Amino acid sequence: MEIINNLKITEIFSFKEIIPNYICNLCREQLSPLAGRNNCPHCFKPDSFEICSDCQIWEQKYQEINCHQALFEYNQFIHSYFKLYKRYGDVLLAKLFYQDIKSWSLKNQFDVITYIPASRGHFQQRGFDPVYELYADIFDLKKLLVKVDADKPQAQKNRLERMRTPQTFLGLPEINLIPRNQRILILDDIYTTGRTLMYAHDIFSEQGFQNISTFSLSR
């Protein structure tokens, strides 16, 4: 399919950065954007209309208030995309959503941006870090976390198993060099139950950071 970048006259002759598009119209029509819908105000769960039950559990059981945003609802297209990108290792697909992620980044500013790293085992298996590659051309990423190899991938766990997954992250010493009033953003590819991102969130909150947000391509 042909990829068309429809530029307005004002965009062509302006001094603003032109954000390239790498996704064709046929594929874009299969996406379900979350913007403008009645998402959960804490985690962006689609069509919740209020704070969802997941976030209420995080608040009541763990005393944690979610602050998450995402771009697209998880559907069959997103599932197929990540299957090709992560399971089959097509690293070139990291650029597919460049335009969407870049546009979001220009509207949301943070002081420090980090990401959910691949564990050593997954990195050796794939040969690349999928979350890093997804965002590396857009954000100034700081590696601040180390992920321990789990018993099995999150994608192979059911909801209860995900929630019971023990803490899988260690903070790197570089965290101690960051002023505690900095705005922290943690990036991941998919938000399902929130368990992974909330554990990453814990690493920073335990170090005294209070302004912590998370973001994922899909929710």
Side-chain angles (χ1 to χ4, degrees):
M1 288 294 294
E2 183 181 4
I3 297 176
I4 301 174
N5 285 279
N6 292 316
L7 301 176
K8 300 177 182 177
I9 294 296
T10 54
E11 292 177 312
I12 296 174
F13 291 100
S14 72
F15 292 101
K16 294 182 179 179
E17 177 185 1
I18 296 175
I19 306 173
N21 176 42
Y22 297 109
I23 186 169
C24 70
N25 290 336
L26 179 62
C27 289
R28 187 166 290 282
E29 288 172 0
Q30 298 178 65
L31 293 169
S32 183
L34 291 171
R37 294 165 62 175
N38 293 303
N39 309 308
C40 169
H42 286 184
C43 74
F44 251 53
K45 184 176 183 179
D47 306 319
S48 294
F49 296 94
E50 57 185 13
I51 299 175
C52 70
S53 57
D54 289 350
C55 286
Q56 290 180 35
I57 291 173
W58 287 122
E59 222 171 309
Q60 295 166 9
K61 190 173 181 178
Y62 302 101
Q63 290 75 55
E64 295 190 36
I65 298 178
N66 225 332
C67 186
H68 183 80
Q69 290 190 52
L71 294 181
F72 301 106
E73 182 177 0
Y74 189 87
N75 60 10
Q76 186 57 48
F77 181 85
I78 293 290
H79 173 81
S80 298
Y81 164 75
F82 279 113
K83 184 177 181 179
L84 291 171
Y85 176 48
K86 296 176 70 173
R87 186 183 302 180
Y88 296 122
D90 191 346
V91 69
L92 294 179
L93 287 174
K95 279 188 171 292
L96 193 67
F97 296 100
Y98 180 92
Q99 185 181 69
D100 304 278
I101 300 170
K102 181 68 174 181
S103 296
W104 184 90
S105 74
L106 295 175
K107 300 173 184 175
N108 298 271
Q109 301 300 311
F110 299 89
D111 299 308
V112 177
I113 303 172
T114 189
Y115 62 99
I116 299 298
S119 66
R120 180 186 296 271
H122 282 166
F123 184 85
Q124 291 176 342
Q125 182 182 15
R126 295 190 181 106
F128 68 98
D129 187 324
V131 177
Y132 176 84
E133 295 295 340
L134 189 64
Y135 298 111
D137 289 343
I138 300 169
F139 298 97
D140 179 18
L141 297 179
K142 308 295 183 185
K143 185 173 182 180
L144 301 173
L145 300 169
V146 173
K147 188 175 185 181
V148 180
D149 278 306
D151 52 346
K152 62 179 179 180
Q154 288 289 87
Q156 296 178 16
K157 296 180 181 180
N158 60 36
R159 183 178 182 80
L160 184 59
E161 289 175 324
R162 286 171 181 263
M163 296 300 289
R164 290 179 174 175
T165 299
Q167 172 62 280
T168 55
F169 296 104
L170 298 172
L172 291 174
E174 287 80 355
I175 291 179
N176 297 321
L177 303 177
I178 304 171
R180 293 315 189 248
N181 63 349
Q182 297 282 276
R183 298 166 295 174
I184 307 294
L185 177 65
I186 308 170
L187 304 170
D188 202 0
D189 49 11
I190 306 170
Y191 182 117
T192 305
T193 64
R195 178 71 280 179
T196 298
L197 278 168
M198 294 308 282
Y199 269 150
H201 182 286
D202 287 347
I203 296 295
F204 290 92
S205 61
E206 289 167 2
Q207 292 291 326
F209 294 94
Q210 296 183 350
N211 194 336
I212 308 167
S213 302
T214 60
F215 174 84
S216 62
L217 176 69
S218 180
R219 169 70 173 98

